[in-house]
Amino acid sequence: MSQQLPPFEPVTLNELRRIWETHPDKDIRRLTLEIQRYRSVLKEIDSLVANTQRAWDDAVGGHLVALYLLNQALLTERRRVPAP
């Protein structure tokens, strides 16, 4: 059962770097790495969705609903996370 997080401002890349530099604690640093990894994985997934949609368009044409919904979820996340 997932619980909803309270609203919050996303951490910017500059803030993430500052946290890394000012907090040598290994758990804090692991969390900063996890956030950056998560953001990198989202970029990769975004690229895979685009490639899959192009292949679907070439083979079948039109939109695949599951890809559309996945793309909408990625778009929402991209808009939420501040640009580097």
Side-chain angles (χ1 to χ4, degrees):
M1 179 164 71
S2 73
Q3 294 181 349
Q4 196 95 8
L5 293 174
F8 65 95
E9 288 295 318
V11 178
T12 66
L13 184 56
N14 285 338
E15 289 172 320
L16 204 55
R17 287 180 176 147
R18 181 186 51 76
I19 290 167
W20 175 272
E21 291 169 359
T22 59
H23 294 85
D25 180 87
K26 69 176 185 168
D27 290 334
I28 301 296
R29 288 195 163 183
R30 282 181 55 225
L31 284 170
T32 59
L33 291 173
E34 187 69 30
I35 292 167
Q36 190 55 38
R37 180 184 183 283
Y38 154 76
R39 291 177 179 178
S40 296
V41 168
L42 281 177
K43 285 181 183 178
E44 183 179 352
I45 292 170
D46 191 36
S47 174
L48 293 170
V49 167
N51 290 338
T52 304
Q53 184 62 59
R54 276 193 294 278
W56 179 264
D57 288 344
D58 292 346
V60 180
H63 288 283
L64 185 59
V65 173
L67 280 178
Y68 174 79
L69 294 174
L70 180 56
N71 200 35
Q72 290 302 313
L74 289 168
L75 179 63
T76 299
E77 191 61 20
R78 278 194 311 272
R79 287 181 178 159
R80 197 186 77 71
V81 175

